[in-house]
Amino acid sequence: MAVSDHVNLAQFIAGVERRNPGQTEFVQAVHEVAQDIFGYIEDKEKYHEYQILRRIAEPDRVVSFRVCWEDDNGSIRVQRGWRVQNNNAIGPYKGGLRFHPSVTESVLKFLAFEQTFKNSLTGLPMGGAKGGSNFNPKGKSDHEVMRFCQSFMTELYRHVGDDVDIPAGDIGVGAREIGYMFGQYKRITNRFAGVLTGKGLEYGGSQIRTEATGYGAVYFLQSMLEHVGDSVAGKRVVISGSGNVATHALEKINQLGGKVVTLSDSGGFIYDPDGINDDKLAWIKHLKTVKRGRIAEYAEHFGGATYHHGERPWGVACDLALPCATQNELLSDDATTLVANGCIAVSEGANMPTDLAGVQVFKRAKILYAPGKAANAGGVAVSGLEMSQNSAKISWQEAELQSLLIEIMHGIHARCVEYGGGDGDTYVDYVRGANIAGFVKVADAMLAYGVV
Ligand code: NDP
């Protein structure tokens, strides 16, 4: 086989831009990974010869489909659904479904690309995928959500399967939506198979799946702090988001003796200088999962708290920050403010919440910074364990799963240190560590398969 001409990073990114016009989030995600991988593979000719990075940055397939449903007024609504299957070199495709008006093909391609590295980092045999729709569940009745989910699955079922592709939840897709979709899959196929994760405990779900992403992001934070002889106890913490990941991150921070002073949603953020204790957290979980209300209501309910409309919480002074809402919610000015205010560690519960310039600010300041693909991998890891339980037709106890989650997060931390340490001091470049550790396993499997 002919040895390929080496392109440089700028040429490579220019090619990605040319092949994916207007897909800014996807190009951003590839750029973030490629800048680390280029250095690593410089002297490793096989990866160049077999065009491994170029191949990982081209999804195996992108399926796009129409989703029609009827609203409560009898009007016919038409949405677009997607499943992006990025890479299945090390296991069946795996990644969440997102229902949000901001969903585009670019967003899902970025998420599926990231998922490939994240799943590899967990050490479990899972490939990378992502899917979803521009459907907005907010303000819809349960019946409308059900009809949408059924229609979505009526097409999706052709592309997924317990050994093929196993979707899970993400923004706008929680236990309710997974239940409706699983019910429809079962009805169409007449199979009770582990084709979705995040299922209810009554029908094949796993203990701690709901908590796993938020808890995992805090376990990763804890590992980073322990690596430099510090801990979460007594720290002031800023969290964005108020969904699944944010609320469980908060719960774990409280258990470890930290004090969380903010949460947010797409309307703005609340600041509670007294800290959001477990009672207040229970109120928030009810607000968000049962009442489906806005975070602004927190400040009306709890004296001493304030609501900041249209703002994000990064201006609030803190020791630790956990962005747990969405992509590109923490920009370089926010990163500069966090560092100036004394923040010592950032652990990303969300996917790509910090933009490229913000990441550079954290790296230059040499604070502890964990990218989402490492820090929020606990969710997909427990999804992987849900798959194992479904295959074996068994259910593991909560305590066993808790210790497996902790073990997996420690394992990811260790892999990041292995590939991201080595500046001659204790500083670990967790971005580089996660990118390279995630890449190597997928790349070596691809080499084993030859050109396919
Ligand atoms: P949820 O839908 O439960 O919560 C999302 C939260 O983020 C809500 O508070 C939502 O506010 C807020 N949000 C969403 N979009 C925006 C926006 N454009 N601007 C500001 N706030 C926004 O989702 P999850 O908690 O499950 O997911 C949060 C993040 O974590 C995502 O990046 C997701 O990809 C990532 N993640 C989730 C995993 C999981 O297991 N659930 C696994 C790994 C990563 P509002 O209600 O107003 O929209």
Side-chain angles (χ1 to χ4, degrees), residues 346-404:
V346 176
S347 181
E348 294 184 343
N351 285 309
M352 207 169 74
T354 312
D355 73 346
L356 286 170
V359 173
Q360 290 313 319
V361 172
F362 292 145
K363 281 190 172 192
R364 273 198 302 274
K366 288 199 165 189
I367 69 164
L368 303 171
Y369 166 66
K373 67 170 76 66
N376 70 33
V380 74
V382 174
S383 276
L385 302 177
E386 183 174 331
M387 286 161 60
S388 305
Q389 293 171 81
N390 290 166
S391 301
K393 310 257 186 294
I394 52 169
S395 299
W396 292 332
Q397 299 297 314
E398 183 177 340
E400 190 175 350
L401 285 154
Q402 287 282 11
S403 53
L404 282 170

Side-chain angles (χ1 to χ4, degrees), residues 424-437:
D425 55 20
T426 54
Y427 177 69
V428 178
D429 182 339
Y430 286 95
V431 179
R432 183 157 53 91
N435 283 337
I436 297 173

Side-chain angles (χ1 to χ4, degrees), residues 98 138 170 172 209 213 242-245 265-266 294 325 350-351:
R98 177 177 292 192
K138 256 182 259 156
D170 191 72
R209 172 60 189 90
T213 307
S242 50
N244 174 277
V245 179
D265 63 17
S266 44
R294 312 303 303 153
N351 285 309

Side-chain angles (χ1 to χ4, degrees), residues 152-279:
F152 186 83
M153 184 50 89
T154 301
E155 173 62 32
L156 186 72
Y157 91 96
R158 302 170 207 281
H159 312 289
V160 297
D162 41 333
D163 283 326
V164 179
D165 183 354
I166 305 94
D170 191 72
I171 293 178
V173 178
R176 175 181 63 168
E177 291 75 14
I178 294 287
Y180 292 147
M181 286 190 274
F182 186 69
Q184 183 73 350
Y185 179 85
K186 198 167 61 57
R187 182 182 183 200
I188 296 173
T189 62
N190 200 26
R191 293 183 71 235
F192 196 109
V195 70
L196 290 170
T197 56
K199 299 186 290 300
L201 293 178
E202 308 78 15
Y203 56 95
S206 174
Q207 300 275 0
I208 79 155
R209 172 60 189 90
T210 315
E211 297 88 342
T213 307
Y215 279 19
V218 177
Y219 290 142
F220 198 93
L221 179 66
Q222 201 181 15
S223 292
M224 291 197 298
L225 289 166
E226 280 169 3
H227 194 68
V228 294
D230 206 340
S231 75
V232 171
K235 298 288 192 301
R236 196 175 137 95
V237 186
V238 161
I239 297 182
S240 66
S242 50
N244 174 277
V245 179
T247 52
H248 291 102
L250 194 162
E251 189 166 286
K252 185 53 72 181
I253 291 280
N254 283 353
Q255 286 169 17
L256 295 175
K259 179 162 128 180
V260 177
V261 292
T262 69
L263 282 180
S264 70
D265 63 17
S266 44
F269 80 91
I270 53 111
Y271 170 51
D272 185 343
D274 297 333
I276 304 169
N277 62 23
D278 289 347
D279 289 342

